[in-house]
Amino acid sequence: MHSPHRTPPELLKTLAELRGRIRRYVLIEGFALTIAVLGGVFWLSLIVDHLWFRVSRLELPYWFRAAFDVSVAGLFGFLLVSLIGLRVLRGFRAKALALVLERRFPELNDRLVTAVELAENGDDSAKNPLAAAMLRQTIADAVEATRKLDLTSVFDRKPLQRAVTAAAVLIASIGGLAVASNSTIQTWKSSFLDLNDEYWNREYGLTVRVVAQPGDLIREFDNQFIKHPRGADLTLLMEVDEGRKVPERVQLSYRLANGRGSGTVLCSKIGERQFRHSLSGLLDDVEFHIYGGDFVNREPYRVQIVEPPQLDEIDLACFYPAYTGMKAPDSTPDKPLRDVVPVRGTQVELPNETDFLLRATSNKPIVRVRMQFGDHELMFARRGEEVSAEHILRDEQGEVLRVDHPASQAAASWLSSDGLQIGVPFVLSPAETDAARERIAALQTKLGPPFTIAPESNLRIYLEDVDGILTAEPARVTISGIVDKAPVVETRLRGIGTSITRKATIPVLGRIVDDYGLADVRFQFRVNDQENWARRDLEAGLPQAGERTLDAVREFTLQRNDDEEFERFDVVPLDLSLNQQLTLTVVAEDRDNLNGPHVTLGERYSFKVVSNEELTSLLYQRELNLRSQFERVIVETKDTQQDLIRHRARVAERKRLNEELADKETTPETAEEVRKKLTEINLAVTACAERSLHQVRKNANETASVEQAFRDIREELVNNKLHTPQTLERIDDRIVKPLQSLSTSDYPAVDESLGLFRLANERGNDPTATIDQSVELLAGMIARMETVLAEMEKLKDFRKLGEELKELIEAQEALLDRTKKEQKKQFLKKNLGF
């Protein structure tokens, strides 16, 4: 059953108006507070951004700004819900509204609440007429009272005013900032709304690059990352951007990897708009920031340390010129192989005109190679299938004379596809002869035509790897050329003098050596002052193909046969006349057909053609000199013998003095005098021993030289066809062999005996026996020497007869010449009248 008491419309209207006013208040206050909070957040973010930039000169981190935006969005939603949504949508019961009015207006005296409750709940007292009348009166009074209420006074205006004022102030401040400094608003927008990485409008700007060696090459960072060779100096170049201010100073702040160190340094100013700094010998990865004015790089520059490119191994695969006879051990005519010469150190030697492939292995993939040698520069690169090459020739001043572009097919073979192998063809040549140049032009290798490199050239190889790293120092190889030297001819004559007969044969001993091989060895001669030399082949010349490989003939000995260790030049075929001059030499020619051949003339020997008698006379004079020399040797030997005999007596005297000194009855004065005599004798005996040894050895050498001289005379007689069996028998058996016996038997025995004499004397022993032995040996040797001298005297008589015969012949020839002249004179007088 419904309550009989309904809420009067007047009360409902009042409560509805109060409900509306509450919702408007809450809505305005909620919006104002939300705007105030957002405005505060704006200023907070602006202040934080400026403070961060002032401290670090960097934009706020992206993550921070993104998180900030998400937080603000969340805060905004929270404020909308909590300050506006929940409060506006909240339900308001009539009783609650009535209680609000009762509390604000005490004069209602609970009548409004009573009326609302009765209307909502009803009341059993309505059955009682009196009670019902009272309730109606109460409601009527409540209605009357609400008509006089000022609902505006229900609200506390201060919180709303504060919220609205705060919101207005913040909106006005932001608006004023937008009018006064729109760039600040735009910066904030770029930072927090657009979330740009860089949003500050800086006055300073720097671009950072790396200065790489060699040649101060500029390398750019790739997304602030670059690779750098281990151990090399990292030189950073900071350049002020165009249109930006130049900072007073630029700082570099770096940190090495693995906690190996860090630091901050000032960079040096170079010029007007550049700064530079070097980190020496960098071994670890490094990160760094650059500070200059309001500039700093947001993300650190990163430098990764990598191994620099280098050549681990270099060798030269060689084909030597044919004239050298050099080749690889396993090479055959059907399958020629290159001889591999490893390069150890920085220098290698090859014969000139060697065609070789320079092969090298790198420690990492290479994309570009630059080679410099002499006036040439060769550059080639390979990136994938793309190949490029350039060959530059410069003059002495470095000016470019010619630029060639080698064929791409050949250039592609110079650098392997993996970038680890390098191979370039060369020929080592001074290119001074037409033959050498023609050979170079015709050469072809599996890597294309070779480049000519001059001997002693310093080959420099620069590398660039896949990381863009250049070699700071090039690999250097000096390729020295071994010049084919002219043959060395060493000759001497044997058993012949400068005067020869027309029937002479001239023995020539010698050895000819060439570094790579001989092509020809021969005699050359000329008569008198002829301009041209005549040729005569050797009796036993160079071996022919089939006997032994010609390439192996690098040393040749002049040897006619196994019995004659010399070559003979026969004079008879020349049919020379008396007094003509013959000049003879040995000539050698090598096999160098590119820069040669090289020809060497040995020592020149000049001979005068004389008669048999004149040569016999010359030999006779030499024999006289030898006889005089040998006579002197005999005299000196006899002097040595007499010296030993004299000092034997002094040895005996020394023995007597020693006995006297040992006698106890000898007075001190006498003893002193004896000691002086002993000292004198000791010195004399010692000197005799040394003198005798020296003299005997000197005489032994002189005797040997006399022996050799007679051998030479014997050979000269034979070589000039002046010998007879009797002459040779007298020289061999009666002079040479006895002299040889003296040198090999007598002199060594005497020398040994004198040595024992000296040894005994030095040890203080009695040398009498050794002196007697030496005197006896010398006596026997002197007797044999005098026998030889007597034979020399007989030979002198024989030669004297020859000399007298020569004089007789010369006198006869002179008489014949005078007779011819007189006959010619008489003939002219008789027939011509004068």
Side-chain angles (χ1 to χ4, degrees):
M1 181 177 178
H2 295 288
S3 174
H5 304 289
R6 294 182 176 274
T7 304
E10 293 84 352
L11 289 180
L12 292 176
K13 180 178 179 183
T14 299
L15 293 176
E17 183 179 355
L18 178 59
R19 185 182 291 109
R21 286 178 178 270
I22 291 174
R23 286 194 170 115
R24 284 195 301 272
Y25 184 97
V26 168
L27 183 62
I28 294 172
E29 182 186 42
F31 274 118
L33 288 174
T34 299
I35 292 173
V37 170
L38 293 178
V41 169
F42 166 80
W43 282 107
L44 177 63
S45 63
L46 190 64
I47 292 171
V48 169
D49 194 13
H50 277 73
L51 289 176
W52 176 256
F53 182 73
R54 181 175 294 275
V55 171
S56 66
R57 284 175 281 185
L58 287 172
E59 284 78 3
L60 284 169
Y62 178 88
W63 64 266
F64 178 85
R65 290 178 285 133
F68 179 84
D69 287 353
V70 171
S71 300
V72 171
L75 177 62
F76 179 68
F78 173 75
L79 293 176
L80 286 179
V81 172
S82 62
L83 296 181
I84 300 175
L86 294 177
R87 295 172 70 189
V88 170
L89 298 177
R90 182 178 179 181
F92 296 97
R93 293 175 57 198
K95 182 178 179 181
L97 294 174
L99 287 173
V100 170
L101 291 177
E102 288 284 354
R103 292 175 183 173
R104 176 65 183 86
F105 301 105
E107 60 269 21
L108 291 177
N109 198 18
D110 295 332
R111 289 176 292 180
L112 182 58
V113 173
T114 302
V116 171
E117 286 180 348
L118 289 175
E120 289 180 354
N121 301 324
D123 196 331
D124 294 339
S125 61
K127 298 176 182 181
N128 186 338
L130 180 59
M134 292 177 66
L135 288 173
R136 284 193 296 271
Q137 184 61 44
T138 299
I139 293 171
D141 291 342
V143 171
E144 184 62 28
T146 56
R147 292 174 179 170
K148 300 177 180 180
L149 296 178
D150 182 9
L151 296 181
T152 304
S153 62
V154 173
F155 299 94
D156 185 0
R157 295 287 182 175
K158 291 181 180 181
L160 179 60
Q161 290 174 354
R162 286 195 296 269
V164 172
T165 300
V169 169
L170 290 172
I171 291 175
S173 63
I174 294 173
L177 179 63
V179 173
S181 179
N182 185 60
S183 61
T184 302
I185 299 297
Q186 293 301 322
T187 300
W188 182 88
K189 174 178 177 295
S190 297
S191 173
F192 290 96
L193 298 184
D194 299 337
L195 295 177
N196 294 332
D197 290 334
E198 295 185 5
Y199 50 84
W200 278 103
N201 185 19
R202 290 177 168 84
E203 294 180 339
Y204 301 87
L206 295 171
T207 299
V208 183
R209 299 182 178 90
V210 171
V211 181
Q213 299 301 326
D216 285 348
L217 300 177
I218 303 300
R219 297 182 61 206
E220 302 284 349
F221 280 86
D222 182 10
N223 196 24
Q224 298 190 209
F225 174 80
I226 201 168
K227 294 181 178 181
H228 186 71
R230 185 181 305 279
D233 294 348
L234 175 64
T235 301
L236 300 174
L237 178 67
M238 285 67 71
E239 188 170 4
V240 178
D241 294 341
E242 195 67 31
R244 299 295 182 94
K245 291 182 179 181
V246 179
E248 292 184 3
R249 63 179 185 175
V250 172
Q251 282 185 327
L252 167 68
S253 179
Y254 66 91
R255 184 178 69 256
L256 298 176
N258 302 320
R260 294 185 180 270
S262 61
T264 300
V265 294
L266 286 176
C267 302
S268 301
K269 189 174 183 181
I270 306 298
E272 294 295 327
R273 302 179 66 84
Q274 289 184 344
F275 296 83
R276 181 180 290 206
H277 185 75
S278 295
L279 297 176
S280 301
L282 202 58
L283 299 175
D284 298 286
D285 296 352
V286 64
E287 294 182 351
F288 64 89
H289 289 82
I290 300 296
Y291 300 88
D294 60 5
F295 171 83
V296 65
N297 48 294
R298 178 179 180 83
E299 296 294 330
Y301 287 97
R302 294 180 297 118
V303 178
Q304 182 183 356
I305 299 301
V306 296
E307 293 298 327
Q310 63 183 19
L311 298 180
D312 292 335
E313 182 180 353
I314 303 176
D315 62 44
L316 309 179
C318 305
F319 278 149
Y320 304 106
Y323 71 82
T324 65
M326 298 171 62
K327 59 184 180 179
D330 299 330
S331 182
T332 63
D334 297 333
K335 187 179 180 182
L337 301 175
R338 290 183 178 268
D339 186 29
V340 178
V341 179
V343 178
R344 296 183 175 90
T346 60
Q347 190 163 1
V348 67
E349 287 187 339
L350 298 175
N352 280 351
E353 311 305 330
T354 297
D355 149 31
F356 65 92
L357 305 179
L358 186 146
R359 305 184 305 189
T361 302
S362 64
N363 64 330
K364 58 192 303 189
I366 303 299
V367 297
R368 184 171 177 270
V369 179
R370 180 163 63 101
M371 295 183 174
Q372 293 178 338
F373 48 98
D375 299 328
H376 299 260
E377 184 172 1
L378 176 64
M379 294 178 288
F380 53 94
R382 181 169 192 162
R383 297 182 184 274
E385 297 301 322
E386 183 181 350
V387 178
S388 62
E390 186 176 74
H391 175 219
I392 302 174
L393 177 63
R394 305 179 188 273
D395 59 18
E396 294 181 354
Q397 288 73 36
E399 299 294 331
V400 176
L401 296 177
R402 189 177 73 246
V403 178
D404 300 325
H405 295 279
S408 58
Q409 183 177 0
S413 63
W414 299 343
L415 186 59
S416 62
S417 58
D418 60 5
L420 296 176
Q421 304 292 329
I422 299 171
V424 181
F426 288 96
V427 59
L428 181 68
S429 174
E432 294 176 345
T433 65
D434 292 339
R437 289 189 287 268
E438 289 173 2
R439 174 177 176 268
I440 293 171
L443 279 175
Q444 286 292 333
T445 73
K446 65 180 182 180
L447 301 180
F451 297 94
T452 303
I453 181 171
E456 312 305 324
S457 292
N458 183 13
L459 177 62
R460 300 179 297 278
I461 306 174
Y462 298 87
L463 307 175
E464 180 180 348
D465 63 19
V466 292
D467 296 325
I469 304 299
L470 302 175
T471 48
E473 288 294 330
R476 299 177 184 271
V477 179
T478 299
I479 305 177
S480 301
I482 302 175
V483 179
D484 182 19
K485 299 178 181 178
V488 177
V489 179
E490 298 174 349
T491 59
R492 62 183 178 89
L493 300 178
R494 174 173 170 177
I496 202 74
T498 57
S499 296
I500 58 174
T501 66
R502 290 180 294 179
K503 297 180 180 180
T505 58
I506 303 172
V508 182
L509 293 86
R511 186 175 71 102
I512 297 91
V513 178
D514 187 69
D515 43 5
Y516 294 124
L518 294 163
D520 185 27
V521 179
R522 61 186 181 271
F523 283 125
Q524 282 190 179
F525 65 92
R526 63 185 179 187
V527 179
N528 292 338
D529 295 328
Q530 291 178 349
E531 182 177 353
N532 297 324
W533 292 83
R535 173 194 176 105
R536 180 180 293 182
D537 293 334
L538 304 178
E539 184 74 18
L542 288 173
Q544 299 298 315
E547 296 180 12
R548 121 179 128 178
T549 305
L550 286 178
D551 292 342
V553 185
R554 300 187 180 187
E555 180 175 345
F556 179 72
T557 302
L558 296 178
Q559 183 172 354
R560 204 169 202 181
N561 51 53
D562 293 338
D563 297 328
E564 294 184 334
E565 297 179 351
F566 47 80
E567 274 285 343
R568 287 185 178 274
F569 183 85
D570 194 356
V571 179
V572 174
L574 300 181
D575 193 21
L576 299 178
S577 302
L578 295 179
N579 297 321
Q580 281 190 307
Q581 294 285 337
L582 171 66
T583 303
L584 178 66
T585 186
V586 175
V587 179
E589 182 178 313
D590 68 12
R591 296 166 51 84
D592 186 356
N593 60 342
L594 297 177
N595 295 303
H598 304 99
V599 179
T600 299
L601 275 70
E603 183 177 352
R604 299 182 184 185
Y605 303 104
S606 295
F607 305 95
K608 180 182 179 181
V609 179
V610 297
S611 65
N612 293 352
E613 294 77 12
E614 184 176 352
L615 182 57
T616 302
S617 176
L618 293 172
L619 295 177
Y620 172 66
Q621 293 299 324
R622 286 168 57 187
E623 290 171 4
L624 288 180
N625 294 334
L626 291 174
R627 181 178 181 279
S628 299
Q629 182 181 352
F630 193 58
E631 284 179 341
R632 189 166 57 252
V633 170
I634 294 175
V635 170
E636 291 175 352
T637 304
K638 290 180 178 179
D639 291 342
T640 301
Q641 183 188 33
Q642 293 301 315
D643 191 29
L644 289 170
I645 293 172
R646 286 194 302 272
H647 283 82
R648 183 190 183 285
R650 304 203 70 177
V651 169
E653 182 183 2
R654 182 175 65 181
K655 182 177 180 182
R656 181 185 62 78
L657 291 173
N658 283 327
E659 292 174 353
E660 182 180 348
L661 187 62
D663 190 353
K664 297 181 180 180
E665 296 181 358
T666 303
T667 63
E669 293 78 5
T670 304
E672 182 64 26
E673 185 176 347
V674 169
R675 290 190 186 93
K676 289 182 180 180
K677 289 182 179 180
L678 284 174
T679 301
E680 181 181 345
I681 292 173
N682 287 335
L683 291 175
V685 172
T686 300
C688 174
E690 295 291 342
R691 183 168 57 249
S692 299
L693 267 175
H694 173 74
Q695 189 63 48
V696 166
R697 290 170 181 175
K698 170 180 172 292
N699 292 339
N701 291 332
E702 291 180 351
T703 300
S705 69
V706 171
E707 176 197 344
Q708 184 59 46
F710 270 100
R711 290 182 184 275
D712 292 343
I713 290 174
R714 180 195 183 281
E715 290 189 9
E716 197 163 345
L717 288 171
V718 172
N719 291 329
N720 284 282
K721 305 296 189 293
L722 296 178
H723 64 287
T724 63
Q726 295 80 4
T727 305
L728 297 182
E729 185 272 333
R730 291 180 66 87
I731 293 176
D732 288 341
D733 296 340
R734 303 185 185 185
I735 297 177
V736 173
K737 288 183 179 179
L739 288 175
Q740 183 181 17
S741 177
L742 288 171
S743 298
T744 57
S745 299
D746 292 272
Y747 276 112
V750 173
D751 189 281
E752 181 181 1
S753 181
L754 290 173
L756 293 174
F757 162 39
R758 182 177 65 178
L759 181 62
N761 183 65
E762 289 175 349
R763 292 180 176 180
N765 299 329
D766 184 7
T768 302
T770 56
I771 293 176
D772 291 342
Q773 183 185 14
S774 300
V775 170
E776 183 180 352
L777 289 173
L778 284 171
M781 188 173 71
I782 290 170
R784 285 184 285 277
M785 293 173 76
E786 288 178 338
T787 300
V788 174
L789 183 62
E791 291 299 328
M792 290 182 183
E793 187 68 26
K794 292 178 183 178
L795 187 62
K796 181 188 76 170
D797 295 338
F798 179 77
R799 296 293 188 201
K800 187 175 182 181
L801 291 176
E803 184 69 15
E804 290 174 353
L805 177 61
K806 173 192 172 187
E807 292 176 356
L808 181 61
I809 292 174
E810 288 178 350
Q812 184 180 2
E813 289 179 349
L815 178 60
L816 182 61
D817 186 57
R818 287 197 303 269
T819 301
K820 288 181 179 180
K821 288 182 180 179
E822 187 64 27
Q823 288 176 348
K824 182 178 180 181
K825 183 178 179 182
Q826 292 297 328
F827 175 80
L828 293 174
K829 183 177 181 180
K830 180 179 179 180
N831 294 282
L832 299 177
F834 58 86

